[in-house]
Amino acid sequence: MAEERLATRTQFPASAESQKPRLKKAQEFPILEKQNWLIHLHYIRKDYEACKAVIKEQLQETQGLCEYAIYVQALIFRLEGNIQESLELFQTCAVLSPQCADNLKQVARSLFLLGKHKAAIEVYNEAAKLNQKDWEICHNLGVCYIYLKQFDKAHDQLHNALHLNRHDLTYIMLGKIHLLQGDLDKAIEIYKKAVEFSPENTELLTTLGLLYLQLGIYQKAFEHLGNALTYDPTNYKAILAAGSMMQTHGDFDVALTKYRVVACAVPESPPLWNNIGMCFFGKKKYVAAISCLKRANYLAPFDWKILYNLGLVHLTMQQYASAFHFVSAAINLQPKMGELFMLLAVALTNLEDPENARRAYAEAARLDRCNPLVNLNYAVLLYNQGERKGALAQFQEMEKKIRLLKDSPSLEFDAEVCLFISAQEARWPRSWELPCRSGRRWSGRNQLKTPSQSTGALQPAKLPVCSSPWALTRLWDRPCRRQLRTGNSHQVPEQQPSPPSRRLCPWSQSPPQEHSQLKHQPRSEKHRSRTAPGQGSSGGDVAG
């Protein structure tokens, strides 16, 4: 008993350190996620090969159940262009985590890239049920509806996206809807709001400037294009548009200086070579013009405006067979434009095919009810064929159109055409009682001359501005060639085709300088364009 008491007395109290609770050991990451940080690091560094190696190792360890590794591998497949493989992997992620809206968004994105817009809309709607405040879902739904041409639903979804969160891209797509619907005023309002929200966005500034340029509001167009170049001096779209404005006002040398800058950035731009070609056309360097236009045609063989310009230049050089070829190709691409049929009729007239020329003129008059030059050229053809009543009817129809257009303050009237018409009203008798096939032609009120030996057709009274019927094809509102400004930044909807001076999209035209006096010597087809200055191959086979 004494020993037990002694033992109890000799016991020492426990130390303070032993009384403290022990710290718990740090929790280890589950094996499924331990390499996620390394996968993410390689991905953001764009070291995709190393990233795929780590993903492969991780999936082997986890037996294919690591969601993040599968997700990143799907993103890499999409960047490499393997859309179908990425879709299958994103669907696997959606199965592993069915309540994650991001996985469904990626599945819908892959469906969209595959062109399955309806299926993408269904998946986006499922994702919207999981996250109703995600602006990206509303935006992407709007884009899908645009491709399905359901513009009302697209408009609603894009507005919902703007209410949730304002972004430049949403404004751009909303403006595109109005452009596709042909409502330029609403599109301009949308882009103005976008510029107020993001004043340093060069794409918005350039697009707004192009729209003002299309409406002919040059001051505001120049202002916005200048702002775009202030923020980004290398913005080739703005430079191309500014050069086109200078080209429209006849300053071809300055425009070519601008185009030289653009050529360094985008040397394979069809609009660029089209505008360069028409600058040479304005400077009356027709061989260089044809060479540049053929390069543009090589880069964009289905652009009817380039074919239109090629036909016009060949008509100027009196190469009617080539003009017929290019104008016919343009008509196949744009069959509802009356002026193309008028140029075709001019070429057919000079190719001595009056029957088909009459058919082309009749189709041009049917399609284009505003351009009086169609009726004027048609009247010349009928007069040469001896159909005085028909020629008089076309001449009177031309006068009606001119009176209507003179009353419109928004349209400019070609003073040269007015001069020609006033001269003809004084020279051509209203009764048109002229000898048509009697071996004489009218050259004044009291003077008759024998017909030319080269052509037996009756010519009208001596023309004040040109000496051949095809030279009367001065296209309406002075500009008579097509200029392209931008590449594929935004497409304007196909509307009812209008004369060359009316811009179907943010493109301009330049007034011709050579149609007033056409006194060139005839050239044969073998003397067509060789090379433009600085170009080393013929126009037809020029590679980009």
Side-chain angles (χ1 to χ4, degrees):
M1 295 293 293
E3 292 179 358
E4 291 179 359
R5 291 177 183 176
L6 183 61
T8 55
R9 289 177 182 177
T10 57
Q11 288 181 356
F12 296 98
S15 63
E17 293 181 359
S18 62
Q19 292 178 355
K20 291 182 179 180
R22 291 185 178 181
L23 296 176
K24 294 182 179 180
K25 188 178 181 180
Q27 184 178 3
E28 296 182 357
F29 287 103
I31 191 174
L32 296 178
E33 310 293 339
K34 68 177 183 179
Q35 296 291 335
N36 286 2
W37 67 273
L38 186 57
I39 294 173
H40 176 74
L41 184 63
H42 286 307
Y43 181 77
I44 62 176
R45 290 180 176 178
K46 298 184 179 181
D47 189 0
Y48 298 131
E49 294 301 326
C51 185
K52 287 192 289 187
V54 176
I55 289 173
K56 182 179 180 181
E57 180 182 353
Q58 179 76 352
L59 291 177
Q60 287 178 352
E61 293 179 1
T62 61
Q63 298 179 357
L65 297 178
C66 182
E67 178 188 349
Y68 186 74
I70 298 174
Y71 185 90
V72 175
Q73 188 174 25
L75 292 177
I76 295 174
F77 279 160
R78 181 188 293 172
L79 291 173
E80 293 175 347
N82 301 320
I83 309 299
Q84 185 63 39
E85 289 80 355
S86 70
L87 173 61
E88 295 174 358
L89 292 176
F90 282 129
Q91 288 173 339
T92 303
C93 293
V95 171
L96 294 174
S97 181
Q99 298 300 319
C100 181
D102 291 336
N103 291 335
L104 294 178
K105 285 165 57 178
Q106 295 297 340
V107 171
R109 176 66 179 170
S110 296
L111 290 171
F112 172 80
L113 293 176
L114 290 173
K116 301 177 181 179
H117 302 111
K118 292 183 179 180
I121 289 174
E122 294 177 0
V123 179
Y124 275 127
N125 288 330
E126 292 295 327
K129 295 178 182 179
L130 300 175
N131 189 355
Q132 297 180 356
K133 295 184 178 180
D134 192 340
W135 73 272
E136 189 176 355
I137 295 176
C138 297
H139 173 88
N140 292 336
L141 278 171
V143 175
C144 290
Y145 282 123
I146 289 176
Y147 278 91
L148 293 176
K149 297 185 178 180
Q150 299 179 14
F151 299 124
D152 293 336
K153 293 182 179 180
H155 188 273
D156 295 339
Q157 291 293 338
L158 292 174
H159 271 291
N160 292 338
L162 288 176
H163 286 310
L164 293 172
N165 203 343
R166 299 171 68 186
H167 283 80
D168 299 346
L169 187 58
T170 306
Y171 280 112
I172 291 174
M173 299 308 299
L174 193 58
K176 180 179 287 189
I177 291 176
H178 294 300
L179 290 176
L180 291 172
Q181 292 177 331
D183 195 343
L184 294 181
D185 294 332
K186 289 186 178 180
I188 288 176
E189 291 298 323
I190 292 296
Y191 283 112
K192 287 172 64 177
K193 293 180 181 179
V195 169
E196 292 176 0
F197 170 70
S198 181
E200 297 183 4
N201 189 315
T202 56
E203 183 177 357
L204 292 172
L205 290 170
T206 302
T207 304
L208 187 57
L210 291 172
L211 291 176
Y212 278 127
L213 191 58
Q214 184 176 354
L215 294 177
I217 308 175
Y218 297 108
Q219 183 64 33
K220 291 186 177 180
F222 192 78
E223 177 184 350
H224 287 88
L225 292 174
N227 291 337
L229 291 175
T230 300
Y231 292 116
D232 184 10
T234 62
N235 189 335
Y236 71 92
K237 295 180 182 178
I239 297 174
L240 189 59
S244 183
M245 289 180 61
M246 299 171 185
Q247 184 175 351
T248 302
H249 293 85
D251 198 348
F252 302 116
D253 293 327
V254 178
L256 286 172
T257 303
K258 296 290 184 182
Y259 295 151
R260 189 176 295 112
V261 177
V262 179
C264 296
V266 281
E268 297 182 358
S269 171
L272 170 66
W273 289 105
N274 178 84
N275 287 9
I276 292 175
M278 298 320 291
C279 277
F280 285 126
F281 181 62
K283 293 166 68 70
K284 300 183 180 180
K285 297 180 179 180
Y286 303 122
V287 176
I290 289 179
S291 179
C292 294
L293 287 171
K294 285 192 174 181
R295 169 169 289 195
N297 185 42
Y298 176 85
L299 296 171
F302 297 108
D303 194 323
W304 67 271
K305 299 177 185 64
I306 298 173
L307 296 169
Y308 179 104
N309 289 336
L310 276 168
L312 190 64
V313 176
H314 281 294
L315 278 178
T316 305
M317 297 185 69
Q318 301 181 16
Q319 297 176 354
Y320 305 115
S322 296
F324 173 82
H325 167 74
F326 289 113
V327 173
S328 298
I331 288 175
N332 290 330
L333 297 171
Q334 189 74 8
K336 294 184 179 181
M337 184 176 182
E339 290 182 5
L340 286 172
F341 284 95
M342 181 179 70
L343 292 184
L344 182 68
V346 170
L348 289 170
T349 301
N350 288 275
L351 291 173
E352 299 180 358
D353 190 355
E355 294 299 325
N356 287 323
R358 289 181 58 180
R359 295 175 184 174
Y361 276 128
E363 184 68 13
R366 185 184 69 84
L367 293 174
D368 194 341
R369 300 184 182 277
C370 298
N371 192 344
L373 293 183
V374 175
N375 304 98
L376 178 59
N377 285 286
Y378 196 9
V380 171
L381 176 66
L382 294 176
Y383 189 83
N384 288 334
Q385 296 297 314
E387 299 186 14
R388 293 170 291 178
K389 293 183 178 180
L392 179 59
Q394 291 297 326
F395 197 86
Q396 292 173 345
E397 182 67 22
M398 177 200 65
E399 290 179 330
K400 291 179 182 178
K401 292 181 179 180
I402 289 174
R403 283 192 291 268
L404 292 175
L405 292 173
K406 280 184 177 180
D407 296 336
S408 177
S410 62
L411 296 176
E412 298 179 1
F413 196 80
D414 197 328
E416 190 173 322
V417 177
C418 290
L419 176 63
F420 168 75
I421 294 169
S422 61
Q424 299 315 302
E425 288 178 348
R427 290 174 180 268
W428 289 0
R430 283 295 176 183
S431 61
W432 289 66
E433 294 177 355
L434 298 176
C436 295
R437 293 293 183 183
S438 59
R440 301 189 178 198
R441 69 185 177 110
W442 177 261
S443 181
R445 282 192 179 276
N446 300 316
Q447 184 180 4
L448 294 174
K449 293 184 178 180
T450 57
S452 173
Q453 295 179 356
S454 59
T455 59
L458 175 66
Q459 299 291 336
K462 185 178 180 181
L463 306 182
V465 294
C466 54
S467 59
S468 61
W470 76 266
L472 299 177
T473 56
R474 286 293 304 270
L475 301 184
W476 189 245
D477 195 15
R478 297 193 67 83
C480 72
R481 44 199 178 262
R482 300 286 172 178
Q483 297 174 21
L484 313 180
R485 283 211 181 92
T486 59
N488 297 325
S489 61
H490 67 278
Q491 296 294 331
V492 180
E494 290 294 333
Q495 305 174 16
Q496 182 66 25
S498 53
S501 59
R502 314 293 184 266
R503 299 173 179 85
L504 300 179
C505 58
W507 299 333
S508 70
Q509 297 99 20
S510 302
Q513 305 294 331
E514 67 285 339
H515 277 197
S516 58
Q517 293 181 353
L518 295 170
K519 298 180 180 179
H520 310 294
Q521 295 296 328
R523 301 185 182 186
S524 61
E525 288 292 326
K526 65 181 180 180
H527 293 120
R528 288 191 299 176
S529 61
R530 298 293 181 186
T531 57
Q535 305 298 330
S537 59
S538 60
D541 298 325
V542 175

